[in-house]
Amino acid sequence: TYIIKFDNKSNYDYMYKLFGELRCLVQIPPEYVVQYYNSWFEHKFLYIQLEYCSHTLKDIIALKGPEFGRLSPVEPMNAIEYFISSEIFKEVLECVQYLHDLTESSDVLLRDLRADNILVADHGRDGRYIKLSNFGSVRADDADVHSVGAIGQELFDLNIHDVNALQKYSSHELRDNFGKLFKLQFVSYMKLQKA
């Protein structure tokens, strides 16, 4: 349950926007976003009851390397960690794409997409575990594309600003995979800088 406190500075526009976000949340299938159950006012508080997800993607990123025997981000991933990271990233991209497809018929857009507001469901639906939790009726333009790129960098331990980022894969079985991933993230970043 999330709790939002309204103070004397809370105004009608803020409350209208908040209820618009709740209305959007109810309309989106729970395969892609955290499921909304109920909400209610009590005194100066709004309580929002949502599906419980015990972990965020940030938690998973922090645990992932050591679980696969990597003691430091400068060590290369093994093939199994790379595969799992790719599956996680694929689910994040599918969630983002689903919400982008919705924008043609609604006001739903991503906002402030980060690894700590992407949730991991305890019990997946149809093999899906990744769920988005922070979106609303805010126009985000290309900001979510940049955010997805940043999440990809965290997930794969790649920093596109580091000229030596791929050095740890120079003689590794995943060299070509990481080269393509790095190039894709770098090209996306450069396009955003020119826009």
Side-chain angles (χ1 to χ4, degrees), residues 90-185:
K90 180 182 127 210
E91 282 196 37
V92 170
L93 292 173
E94 288 170 351
C95 290
V96 171
Q97 183 62 52
Y98 182 80
L99 290 183
H100 272 259
D101 292 346
L102 277 182
T103 60
E104 295 175 10
S105 60
S106 72
D107 290 331
V108 175
L109 281 176
L110 295 171
R111 181 179 63 216
D112 198 24
L113 185 65
R114 300 182 318 268
D116 59 350
N117 60 28
I118 296 174
L119 304 179
V120 180
D122 294 338
H123 306 288
R125 289 179 183 229
D126 299 325
R128 299 189 54 77
Y129 291 88
I130 301 297
K131 297 187 175 222
L132 303 180
S133 69
N134 197 6
F135 55 93
S137 55
V138 173
R139 293 270 167 213
D141 300 321
D142 289 331
D144 54 339
V145 175
H146 183 267
S147 297
V148 167
I151 290 165
Q153 288 182 70
E154 280 184 75
L155 191 59
F156 291 99
D157 283 326
L158 284 178
N159 179 353
I160 61 168
H161 301 291
D162 181 1
V163 293
N164 297 317
L166 295 176
Q167 182 131 4
K168 61 187 172 186
Y169 293 102
S170 61
S171 60
H172 193 272
E173 64 184 339
L174 297 172
R175 179 186 67 228
D176 294 340
N177 299 61
F178 273 92
K180 290 174 187 173
L181 185 64
F182 185 84
K183 182 178 179 181
L184 181 66
Q185 289 181 347

Side-chain angles (χ1 to χ4, degrees), residues 60-82 84 157 169 172:
I60 301 302
I61 290 170
L63 295 170
K64 183 174 60 73
E67 284 295 319
F68 287 99
R70 258 186 337 123
L71 303 177
S72 165
V74 298
E75 294 180 36
M77 288 183 182
N78 64 31
I80 296 170
E81 183 183 358
Y82 176 79
I84 289 173
D157 283 326
Y169 293 102
H172 193 272

